[in-house]
Amino acid sequence: MPDKNGFTTTILHSDRRSSVEHGAIHKPMHPSTEYAFSDSHELAAVFQGKAGFTYARQGTPTTAALEVKVTQMEGGVSTVSFATGMAALAATFLTLLRAGDHLISSQYIFGNTNSLLGTLKGMGVDVTLVDATDIDSVKQAYRPGTKMVFTEAIANPGTQVADLRAIGDWCREKNLIYVLDNTLATPWLCQGVALGASLVINSLSKHIGGHGNALGGAVTDTGLYDWSDYANIAEPYRKGKPTSWGLTQIKKKGLRDMGGTLSAEAAHRIAAGAETLALRMEKSCGNALALARFLSQHPKVAKVHYPGLASHPQHERAVDLFGRGFGALMGIELVDDLDVFDFLNKLKVLILATHLGDNRTLVLPVAHTIYYEMGPQQRAVMGISDNLLRVSVGIEDTEDLIGDFVQALA
Ligand SMILES: *Cc1c(COP(=O)(O)O)cnc(C)c1O
């Protein structure tokens, strides 16, 4: 693969530049469950670590081709795909942490990830939630037993931007595993490898797939973390380069033992979607900025949370970290005398649906839906007010999105 090509060229030509089947420009969809061998020595060799395919729970040529693309996008060294973003997160935490280990996590995270951290606590992993926008608050949580730091690049749904670079520097100094959930920023805005991340997680269901027609997740190894001193790597995976041991364990335990495998069909759809990630992000980030600027001036909008606005608490940091844009997600709070549910019912272009990173613009009253289960106390910690609307901005024509807000707020 020539490494001088740009982001989109690299993804578009990725399949063609590895082993081509019948001249196909898309990696074919391989639904086969098992892979046969004509030579018994080869069969044994693949089970013993040689590259190849055995049983589809551990991956197929179709998922492998997608993994190559995600690795290229992230500038990493290798990737393992999963059935969903949550499967990727669960596999990472569950295969690398043990009872008694300490995890420092941002308090501004996706609600389901917060719930997953609760599961980890129940299994004896200590979890401290910190304000990851402030490096001192991250550092203060350190204690013997701290193994890992976790944060999202841009937080879902509050859009807080963690001090990603300072966290990377500190993790390197303390030899901690730095796990970055890059779902909202996407590798087009932000590559974890440049910020010192050890592992980068993407929900492929969101921007990378982009079309709302497939679920998937991925963990990408940046190659920066040396696992040789990490006690939780099992003996069989302490082979080859120590920088690859962590992902090997995530793949073996997370896919082979836990089975959260991405299907070939979903991988194929995600790979086709990924070809236009840069184009879609450019359009949706532009739409989001235009909408955020418009809404921040609107008399019926009390607050707009969007990293592209100068009023956002981490705006300067977002400019520094994400040169190309500020993401496609924003939080909106309407003025108190406006009924949020009435407003939502008037929308004609925006869709009431829980998802993000879709081509279509989606809106959701957060506290009443995806953050309902956790209750008001936890919502307060995560900075989620009762009237917060999450808007995931798509690629519609800008004036149609603004027009929909104009009529629904009138
Ligand atoms: C949606 C999301 C996930 C989970 O991804 P799924 O593919 O829906 O399982 C994880 N992290 C963030 C930040 C997300 O927005």
Side-chain angles (χ1 to χ4, degrees), residues 84-86 89 110 152 156 181 183-184 203 205-206 216 356:
T84 63
M86 288 316 300
L89 284 161
F110 179 47
E152 294 175 8
N156 176 7
D181 182 335
T183 300
L184 265 61
S203 164
S205 326
K206 310 288 174 61
L356 62 89

Side-chain angles (χ1 to χ4, degrees), residues 260-379:
T261 311
L262 181 65
S263 74
E265 289 85 347
H268 195 271
R269 288 182 190 180
I270 292 164
E275 293 182 353
T276 53
L277 175 65
L279 285 77
R280 291 182 285 103
M281 281 302 282
E282 196 166 355
K283 179 67 182 169
S284 50
C285 290
N287 272 350
L289 186 59
L291 200 56
R293 283 183 176 150
F294 168 78
L295 292 173
S296 63
Q297 303 296 324
H298 198 289
K300 293 194 177 157
V301 177
K303 229 183 227 173
V304 179
H305 306 267
Y306 184 65
L309 295 178
S311 57
H312 188 281
Q314 292 93 39
H315 174 67
E316 305 272 295
R317 178 180 296 158
V319 171
D320 169 48
L321 292 172
F322 321 129
R324 289 163 156 159
F326 303 96
L329 196 94
M330 74 179 69
I332 298 171
E333 294 174 43
L334 303 180
V335 292
D336 282 340
D337 54 339
L338 216 82
D339 186 299
V340 167
F341 287 89
D342 282 350
F343 163 76
L344 290 171
N345 286 337
K346 286 185 188 146
L347 291 166
K348 293 180 176 139
V349 176
L350 274 80
I351 302 170
L352 307 187
T354 178
H355 188 38
L356 62 89
D358 192 277
N359 282 335
R360 298 151 200 83
T361 301
L362 312 175
V363 59
L364 199 69
V366 176
H368 308 275
T369 57
I370 47 175
Y371 286 71
Y372 179 74
E373 183 184 294
M374 68 176 59
Q377 221 169 353
Q378 183 62 25
R379 282 200 292 272

Side-chain angles (χ1 to χ4, degrees), residues 135 163-173 178 195-197:
I135 183 65
D163 199 349
L164 302 177
R165 211 185 296 280
I167 293 172
D169 292 343
W170 181 67
C171 285
R172 189 174 319 121
E173 186 189 312
Y178 178 12
L195 304 169

Side-chain angles (χ1 to χ4, degrees), residues 92-158:
T92 301
F93 293 135
L94 292 171
T95 65
L96 295 179
L97 297 171
R98 291 184 188 164
D101 289 343
H102 179 231
L103 165 69
I104 301 174
S105 169
S106 168
Q107 73 202 34
Y108 306 121
I109 50 174
F110 179 47
N112 298 164
T113 307
N114 182 67
S115 172
L116 173 62
L117 297 184
T119 305
L120 285 181
K121 284 187 209 167
M123 299 172 75
V125 175
D126 292 324
V127 180
T128 307
L129 295 180
V130 299
D131 177 359
T133 66
D134 170 17
I135 183 65
D136 290 331
S137 131
V138 181
K139 287 180 176 174
Q140 271 161 25
Y142 182 80
R143 56 177 156 91
T146 303
K147 294 277 165 60
M148 183 185 281
V149 177
F150 172 75
T151 183
E152 294 175 8
I154 302 174
N156 176 7

Side-chain angles (χ1 to χ4, degrees), residues 37-84:
F37 293 82
S38 52
D39 174 32
S40 56
H41 296 289
E42 181 70 9
L43 168 77
V46 172
F47 271 86
Q48 290 170 24
K50 187 177 170 187
F53 300 97
T54 56
Y55 186 63
R57 190 183 336 105
Q58 292 157 74
T60 62
T62 317
T63 57
L66 175 63
E67 288 163 356
V68 168
K69 292 190 181 91
V70 176
T71 300
Q72 289 166 341
M73 288 190 258
E74 284 290 356
V77 294
S78 53
T79 295
V80 181
S81 59
F82 287 89
T84 63

